[in-house]
Amino acid sequence: MENADKLLGKLAWIIKKYYDHSQKVPVLKYKSPQTISKEIDIKIKKDWTSIDKLFSQLEKIALNSPKTSSKWFFNLLFGGKLMPAVMAEMLTAVLNNTMHTYKSAWVHILLEKEVVSYLSKKIWYTNWDWIFVPWASIANLVAMIIARNAKNIQIRNKWLANQKMVAYSSDQWHYSIIKSANIIWIWRENVRIIKSDKNGKMDLIDLEKNIKSDLAKWYLPFFINITLWTTVLWAFDPIVDTAKIAKKYKIRLHADWALWWSVSLSRKHKHLLGGSQLTDSFAWNPHKMMNIPILASLILVKDKTILQKNFDETADYLFQMDSQSYNPATKSIQCGRRNDALKVWTALKYLWDKWYEDRINKQFDNVKTAINIIQKDKDLKLIIQPECINVCFQVKAKSSRKICEELDKQWLIKVWYWHRNWQEFIRMVCVDADMSTKDIQNFFKLVKSI
Ligand SMILES: Cc1ncc(COP(=O)(O)O)c(C=O)c1O
């Protein structure tokens, strides 16, 4: 291709510069949208831009992006960088295959199958069905559609005015649950927000009380969502007992396990997944604990036929070759799909069991280090005993909000705060497996310096 060598060279140079810059300036000085608009030529104009000018713009854009892979990024539930997976992601853009049929993606359909088959053998899901979806939020949506249709498959064909269906989730849910209800015409008012206990876990007495009250009004309970782990507190809703309630009232049980399945790679921590086979479906984001570039998300369902039953439509113009099991669009909420499997496959192939296991263990070890530091320091207070890799704490007598804002302003650390029951606290995410003990110690030193 014309200019290919030159462009690749320029791109490699920008990437290298970006990573070097991330070491030297891990957190950027805040710039308002107005300032950024002045510094970067954002407007798309009618006249032509030379390649050199364009790449100098791309370089500026790269250097003005939040440094999610730096050692100072404790802000979100993804982070770090696994270079082979990053490279596979770049290759995905070059190959530009859509994953709806075998005809259009060939080997990539096989790689996708292998990723899930490999991971499912590690635990007990060998007979489940699955599909990569764009986000965990979409996995939650798919699960809710399946549960709604399970109550009355006619709802696929027409509006059923007399069916008032209700869903249940704790007040610690991810907001995609309520969005899904809105999208599929269950409506917000029919999602019961169940209380959580002091540790952030769903209160099952309140759950059953709500179900009984709905049944007494002739409503139709159809969906219980449990969150394992919750977004902020990383609480683990009680799975076994919720499963008993779901079974008793014949309600589908979905686990929003966006953060979760990656733990299956660690023999030491895999026990945390106990009871998970009792759910009917779950959502999972490898892009979180596996440090794979965003996005990589899946929905997994217990019944092998249920995705097809709910999402297959006649499209003979598409499915002309190969059996249905090689044409994933016959069970997908969308038609074309991005190839998110290649980077997950690359990471697994490169790191194999042992190294991945070490990485997952390291995330838990970093949490332990953080807890140790907090418990030994009289100025710090642990808000909740972490069950996974989020650490929620306070600096006593100081505002968590102000600390986080100041850390950002002084270009020190990216970290986030939240509040619950009128208590403000800092949420430190230990998701980057390349963080060292020294990085964790330094984090607290900087937090305390504010
Ligand atoms: C528990 C939980 N569920 C769902 C999501 C949404 O994931 P996504 O951003 O992939 O839609 C998140 C995101 O952090 C989450 O923490």
Side-chain angles (χ1 to χ4, degrees):
M1 193 184 83
E2 191 194 348
N3 269 343
D5 285 351
K6 186 175 158 193
L7 296 190
L8 282 173
K10 279 179 182 288
L11 179 65
W13 190 79
I14 291 176
I15 293 170
K16 185 170 173 337
K17 193 152 179 195
Y18 168 78
Y19 281 137
D20 288 349
H21 195 249
S22 301
Q23 299 287 323
K24 286 187 217 123
V25 193
V27 179
L28 296 178
K29 179 173 182 246
Y30 173 78
K31 290 180 189 170
S32 69
Q34 292 75 15
T35 313
I36 291 264
S37 311
K38 271 188 211 138
E39 287 184 12
I40 297 175
D41 183 10
I42 287 172
K43 285 262 174 289
I44 298 169
K45 297 168 195 144
K46 278 192 185 154
D47 52 339
W48 173 83
T49 302
S50 71
I51 283 290
D52 287 337
K53 258 199 192 155
L54 186 65
F55 271 75
S56 84
Q57 288 290 303
L58 290 176
E59 181 191 328
K60 264 195 187 169
I61 290 168
L63 300 184
N64 277 286
S65 303
K67 306 280 178 40
T68 57
S69 60
S70 89
K71 292 284 178 77
W72 310 83
F73 187 79
F74 295 86
N75 200 47
L76 293 170
L77 299 167
F78 67 94
K81 60 177 183 301
L82 205 53
M83 281 315 264
V86 174
M87 298 299 141
E89 175 72 337
M90 289 163 68
L91 189 59
T92 297
V94 173
L95 303 178
N96 206 23
N97 299 115
T98 166
M99 300 288 280
H100 64 310
T101 59
Y102 182 80
K103 186 178 178 182
S104 61
W106 282 16
V107 62
H108 299 284
I109 300 287
L110 306 183
L111 299 180
E112 190 178 55
K113 278 175 176 288
E114 175 57 18
V115 165
V116 184
S117 145
Y118 171 81
L119 288 169
S120 54
K121 269 183 226 138
K122 290 195 148 292
I123 35 177
W124 39 81
Y125 291 105
T126 45
N127 227 4
W128 285 40
D129 203 7
W130 53 271
I131 184 99
F132 271 75
V133 286
W135 293 93
S137 301
I138 304 297
N140 291 338
L141 172 69
V142 167
M144 200 181 264
I145 293 173
I146 291 173
R148 183 199 62 178
N149 296 358
K151 283 289 169 199
N152 191 339
I153 194 74
Q154 281 307 319
I155 215 163
R156 274 190 82 177
N157 302 322
K158 58 185 177 193
W159 184 50
L160 300 175
N162 57 346
Q163 308 246 314
K164 190 147 181 177
M165 296 203 188
V166 267
Y168 307 83
S169 191
S170 93
D171 57 13
Q172 297 298 306
W173 61 13
H174 186 262
Y175 79 139
S176 54
I177 299 296
I178 198 145
K179 272 197 202 188
S180 302
N182 186 4
I183 293 167
I184 68 166
W185 289 31
I186 295 298
W187 308 122
R188 289 179 176 159
E189 65 173 14
N190 295 324
V191 184
R192 306 284 177 254
I193 302 174
I194 307 301
K195 281 191 289 199
S196 56
D197 67 14
K198 67 176 183 354
N199 295 317
K201 294 170 190 276
M202 184 151 70
D203 175 342
L204 298 191
I205 296 176
D206 195 39
L207 172 67
E208 200 161 4
K209 199 172 98 192
N210 271 274
I211 295 172
K212 281 183 180 160
S213 149
D214 286 327
L215 287 170
K217 290 181 223 148
W218 295 98
Y219 293 171
L220 196 54
F222 78 107
F223 181 80
I224 301 175
N225 172 65
I226 43 176
T227 315
L228 317 156
W229 291 274
T230 58
T231 309
V232 178
L233 300 171
W234 284 61
F236 201 92
D237 282 341
I239 179 161
V240 175
D241 290 335
T242 315
K244 281 184 196 153
I245 295 177
K247 197 168 169 202
K248 179 169 162 192
Y249 295 100
K250 299 194 173 55
I251 308 173
R252 276 185 75 84
L253 180 62
H254 172 68
D256 177 358
W257 243 328
L259 310 160
W260 161 89
W261 208 14
S262 319
V263 173
S264 70
L265 294 164
S266 157
R267 277 167 298 178
K268 189 167 165 196
H269 298 289
K270 196 168 138 177
H271 67 93
L272 292 169
L273 313 176
S276 49
Q277 72 276 34
L278 299 171
T279 61
D280 294 303
S281 55
F282 64 84
W284 174 45
N285 278 147
H287 71 240
K288 288 177 173 148
M289 282 181 80
M290 285 172 76
N291 295 166
I292 282 163
I294 48 174
L295 301 159
S297 311
L298 289 121
I299 169 88
L300 291 100
V301 288
K302 192 181 255 167
D303 178 341
K304 259 276 184 225
T305 60
I306 211 161
L307 284 173
Q308 214 109 37
K309 228 195 256 166
N310 281 274
F311 295 101
D312 194 14
E313 298 290 351
T314 312
D316 294 342
Y317 69 96
L318 275 179
F319 309 124
Q320 296 168 342
M321 293 171 65
D322 310 299
S323 73
Q324 282 202 347
S325 76
Y326 290 94
N327 291 329
T330 57
K331 60 176 183 178
S332 159
I333 191 166
Q334 69 224 81
C335 174
R337 270 182 322 124
R338 213 176 161 279
N339 179 3
D340 291 324
L342 180 61
K343 60 194 166 198
V344 185
W345 179 87
T346 305
L348 287 167
K349 188 91 173 163
Y350 171 67
L351 286 176
W352 56 286
D353 280 16
K354 176 74 186 89
W355 288 355
Y356 239 130
E357 180 167 40
D358 289 349
R359 287 181 72 84
I360 302 291
N361 290 346
K362 177 80 177 310
Q363 292 167 347
F364 282 89
D365 290 348
N366 281 345
V367 169
K368 252 196 219 153
T369 306
I371 296 173
N372 265 335
I373 293 173
I374 295 168
Q375 287 178 334
K376 280 189 190 145
D377 190 321
K378 62 178 178 16
D379 296 328
L380 302 175
K381 180 183 166 197
L382 193 65
I383 292 294
I384 196 164
Q385 196 63 40
E387 290 190 70
C388 198
I389 58 164
N390 267 15
V391 183
C392 298
F393 72 98
Q394 283 173 334
V395 182
K396 287 181 197 162
K398 285 194 184 170
S399 154
S400 298
R401 176 176 63 81
K402 284 200 182 132
I403 292 174
C404 293
E405 284 174 1
E406 199 55 37
L407 286 166
D408 222 334
K409 247 193 234 154
Q410 295 189 28
W411 319 10
L412 294 173
I413 299 173
K414 278 257 177 229
V415 67
W416 192 64
Y417 65 93
W418 199 57
H419 57 87
R420 182 170 187 250
N421 301 336
W422 310 108
Q423 277 200 103
E424 238 182 33
F425 54 84
I426 299 172
R427 181 192 76 163
M428 171 200 199
V429 183
C430 295
V431 76
D432 180 356
D434 293 318
M435 295 269 182
S436 64
T437 301
K438 215 168 134 212
D439 294 323
I440 305 288
Q441 288 163 339
N442 200 39
F443 168 87
F444 285 103
K445 205 168 114 201
L446 292 173
V447 166
K448 284 190 67 183
S449 71
I450 300 298

